[in-house]
Amino acid sequence: MRGLLHIFLILFPFLVTSQKSQLIQHVTIVDGTGRKEFKGSVRIAGNQIVGIGKLKPYKNEKVIQGIGLTLAPGFIDSHSHHLNDVLEHPDAISTANQGVTTVVVGQDGESVPLITLISQMNKTPVAVNIASYTGQSSLREQVMGSNNLLRAATQAEIDRMKVLLKKDMENGSLGLSTGLEYESAFYSTRDEVLQLAKVAKESNGRYISHIRSEDITMSDALDEIIDIGRKVKLPVQISHIKLAKKGDWGKAQQIIELLEKARKEGIDITADVYPYNFWNSTPRVLFPKRDYTNLESSKFATQELFEPSESYLVKFAANKNYEGKTLSEIAKSRNETEPVALMKLIELSADFRKNNPTYSGTVEAIMGKSMQDEDVCKFIQWKHANICSDGNAGAHPRGYGSFTKILGKYVREEKALTLEEAIYKMTGLTAQHLGIKDRGTIASGMKADLVLFNPKTVKDNASIRDSHALSDGIEMVWVNGELIFKGKKSTGRRSGTLIKRINE
Ligand SMILES: [Zn+2]
């Protein structure tokens, strides 16, 4: 199909010019396939790329001069929580400022039905593309009730979830997502997940998972996702791969070897990763056994699972004074040890929930410093890992800076990746991991999602202190052929579309 279009465009370029084409001229092109950068120009018309190479402007054609700048496919964020932000702020500055043109939502087991998403996007056009998985926890909530999730589902309930999932797949979902570490899914059995993954597979979908443990039982959790890939024979992806237990630090290479072994066996297992050594979640994940009142478990958490003096409470509805403080500071102010304070915070939040049953915001969130930079870097470098943000427009800087941090820190400063490798991990490889065929590379016939940036200056500025600071060096961003972002500002165009799974 793409080949035919390509021939058509070579034979009848004048037909394209009538579609008001634009030429991005004299740029360095990093095309998203991983191949070496080269100089040239790129022509876009309508929502497509229609030419690439040594191109001269047509008469009266709009020309964008890109001397000294690099043109890449728009970045694809394979694990994003930006949906609410993008719907509330359709200019999508949080993603566009880092060069992201597609966000993939419905992560960690939580999604809105595709049919709802479609009507939301019809009502509110947005500047970036959105694709979504179907979340297992959301299926559980619909079928079992949101207050009844701390148990395994019955077979009858699983059967009802399968029907809902099938419907969502038909509406364009990319596949099944799970957040097995969270209470809403933690008590589901492996068999439940397996049965649902089979439904995703029947529609040529995929499986993406925040695995059941990123710390004390991580090897079981890895075994589970590998087993699903083996038995269901669908592509499986580990969300935001990390080693979040101090005792496991330095073992990234071992994990990669385990995953490579599974790949040799024929299992299509991949991962995404974000470039930070701290996460953002509920403090309850620090109790892998869900025993929130066990002092020994809390001691273990403060010693092994996070660094209390570098971990900030970013949301705490029960006492706003604690927001922005580290757990160590809070413990000190309460005259408690860190383990006691950690348990107390969870208790205070539980009380808050009980007393405010209609409260719909986030009750508590902590940025937990749990990882080691060397492991983060190893995972970023893994051949089968693509870049994600795991972010939203919240307190964690990853929501505004993940992709530009890769280009500034990991490419230019540390040379941990070549520019071509990094772009591939943000575009072409990611599209493969999602089953998106018409985005992720610069070639004739591909959709015109593009980012023009300065490789010498590009960098993230978002930090814990200022998590919404915009990146430097992202000059222009196009989505479906329309310029949505220029000079750190929205252009007001809202050309994002819903990307549906291709059923082939
Ligand atoms: Zn997650």
Side-chain angles (χ1 to χ4, degrees):
M1 177 61 197
R2 211 181 300 146
L4 273 178
L5 180 72
H6 188 69
I7 292 164
F8 177 82
L9 293 168
I10 291 168
L11 292 176
F12 308 109
F14 54 92
L15 286 181
V16 167
T17 58
S18 66
Q19 249 192 318
K20 268 210 268 173
S21 64
Q22 304 176 45
L23 190 66
I24 307 167
Q25 216 181 11
H26 301 134
V27 286
T28 300
I29 298 167
V30 179
D31 72 0
T33 64
R35 80 158 151 150
K36 189 102 191 78
E37 63 177 31
F38 56 97
K39 294 234 181 328
S41 302
V42 170
R43 172 167 287 129
I44 60 183
N47 64 0
Q48 285 187 333
I49 295 167
V50 296
I52 173 169
K54 283 193 180 126
L55 306 173
K56 292 222 163 60
Y58 299 133
K59 205 177 156 200
N60 297 328
E61 187 176 37
K62 184 174 179 196
V63 175
I64 293 126
Q65 285 297 347
I67 295 168
L69 301 176
T70 296
L71 189 71
F75 307 149
I76 302 172
D77 188 351
S78 66
H79 187 108
S80 158
H81 296 282
H82 287 93
L83 180 62
N84 287 342
D85 176 56
V86 168
L87 290 173
E88 279 165 34
H89 305 100
D91 292 339
I93 295 295
S94 55
T95 79
N97 98 93
Q98 42 180 330
V100 170
T101 53
T102 296
V103 294
V104 182
V105 302
Q107 301 289 350
D108 296 331
E110 297 284 347
S111 64
V112 298
L114 263 282
I115 199 81
T116 310
L117 188 55
I118 291 166
S119 84
Q120 283 171 328
M121 286 183 73
N122 283 338
K123 213 165 77 195
T124 313
V126 299
V128 292
N129 304 312
I130 300 179
S132 180
Y133 283 91
T134 304
Q136 179 213 8
S137 297
S138 296
L139 296 175
R140 285 170 68 84
E141 279 157 29
Q142 285 176 74
V143 169
M144 300 161 71
S146 50
N147 295 323
N148 197 10
L149 301 176
L150 308 185
R151 61 172 178 86
T154 65
Q155 186 57 47
E157 287 166 336
I158 296 173
D159 289 341
R160 283 172 58 204
M161 289 185 227
K162 287 185 191 171
V163 173
L164 293 172
L165 174 57
K166 187 161 190 296
K167 186 94 220 130
D168 223 31
M169 294 300 299
E170 284 165 6
N171 287 332
S173 163
L174 299 183
L176 176 71
S177 93
T178 60
L180 297 170
E181 194 176 24
Y182 295 109
E183 286 107 328
S184 51
F186 184 72
Y187 298 95
S188 65
T189 61
R190 221 184 242 213
D191 179 59
E192 172 184 327
V193 182
L194 208 89
Q195 289 193 48
L196 293 172
K198 277 186 183 152
V199 174
K201 156 78 181 172
E202 282 159 17
S203 306
N204 285 315
R206 302 158 175 266
Y207 177 71
I208 192 165
S209 180
H210 175 147
I211 58 177
R212 225 176 265 266
S213 167
E214 296 178 329
D215 43 66
I216 64 166
T217 53
M218 184 158 169
S219 56
D220 279 347
L222 290 169
D223 180 69
E224 180 175 37
I225 188 167
I226 290 170
D227 198 38
I228 289 167
R230 179 186 295 125
K231 290 192 174 130
V232 186
K233 297 188 174 54
L234 84 174
V236 295
Q237 177 148 5
I238 300 169
S239 294
H240 45 62
I241 192 167
K242 64 172 77 81
L243 286 164
K245 185 175 120 219
K246 283 185 195 164
D248 286 343
W249 281 2
K251 291 187 182 160
Q253 190 53 40
Q254 272 170 256
I255 303 289
I256 288 169
E257 278 160 22
L258 180 86
L259 299 178
E260 286 288 1
K261 200 171 136 236
R263 290 186 62 86
K264 281 213 183 79
E265 204 195 300
I267 299 163
D268 183 358
I269 188 163
T270 57
D272 56 33
V273 56
Y274 59 83
Y276 295 85
N277 60 18
F278 52 98
W279 42 260
N280 185 15
S281 193
T282 160
R284 295 197 307 283
V285 296
L286 292 166
F287 291 80
K289 295 180 192 148
R290 278 62 189 168
D291 50 349
Y292 310 118
T293 55
N294 182 336
L295 183 60
E296 282 311 307
S297 292
S298 198
K299 276 186 188 155
F300 178 79
T302 54
Q303 283 158 16
E304 272 291 319
L305 300 185
F306 77 122
E307 185 50 65
S309 65
E310 292 177 68
S311 296
Y312 294 81
L313 207 65
V314 292
K315 265 272 180 297
F316 199 66
N319 184 345
K320 294 266 178 206
N321 290 329
Y322 291 168
E323 292 181 0
K325 298 208 165 71
T326 65
L327 183 79
S328 303
E329 289 166 345
I330 295 165
K332 214 170 184 185
S333 74
R334 295 179 58 87
N335 251 327
E336 290 167 353
T337 63
E338 287 162 352
V340 169
L342 176 61
M343 291 192 302
K344 196 72 199 171
L345 291 180
I346 289 173
E347 189 190 319
L348 288 169
S349 280
D351 291 346
F352 180 88
R353 275 195 193 83
K354 218 178 285 160
N355 298 332
N356 301 276
T358 57
Y359 183 83
S360 62
T362 305
V363 174
E364 87 273 84
I366 187 169
M367 281 197 280
K369 160 79 171 71
S370 284
M371 293 88 93
Q372 191 199 42
D373 286 331
E374 287 76 3
D375 287 326
V376 173
C377 187
K378 272 248 152 59
F379 285 133
I380 286 172
Q381 289 173 320
W382 183 41
K383 222 170 115 197
H384 302 286
N386 67 263
I387 306 304
C388 71
S389 75
D390 195 13
N392 58 16
H396 197 300
R398 65 192 178 184
Y400 274 69
S402 289
F403 288 77
T404 37
K405 182 168 182 181
I406 292 285
L407 296 175
K409 178 179 156 79
Y410 289 88
V411 175
R412 191 178 54 241
E413 287 171 22
E414 297 183 0
K415 301 186 172 37
L417 297 170
T418 65
L419 182 60
E420 291 88 345
E421 283 167 343
I423 297 293
Y424 175 59
K425 283 172 172 290
M426 298 175 177
T427 59
L429 181 66
T430 317
Q432 286 171 36
H433 289 174
L434 297 165
I436 296 174
K437 307 246 192 265
D438 55 356
R439 296 172 202 272
T441 56
I442 298 182
S444 285
M446 298 296 276
K447 291 286 187 302
D449 293 345
L450 295 163
V451 54
L452 186 66
F453 66 96
N454 186 336
K456 295 200 183 80
T457 60
V458 65
K459 71 191 258 287
D460 63 305
N461 289 314
S463 64
I464 291 177
R465 294 271 161 245
D466 185 4
S467 63
H468 293 192
L470 301 184
S471 305
D472 287 334
I474 299 293
E475 305 292 333
M476 293 188 203
V477 179
W478 289 263
V479 172
N480 296 308
E482 292 195 36
L483 186 68
I484 62 141
F485 182 86
K486 185 183 178 186
K488 293 197 179 183
K489 281 197 183 75
S490 162
T491 64
R493 311 298 300 189
R494 291 172 186 175
S495 51
T497 185
L498 182 80
I499 298 175
K500 296 183 180 178
R501 175 183 41 78
I502 306 166
N503 202 350
E504 63 180 37

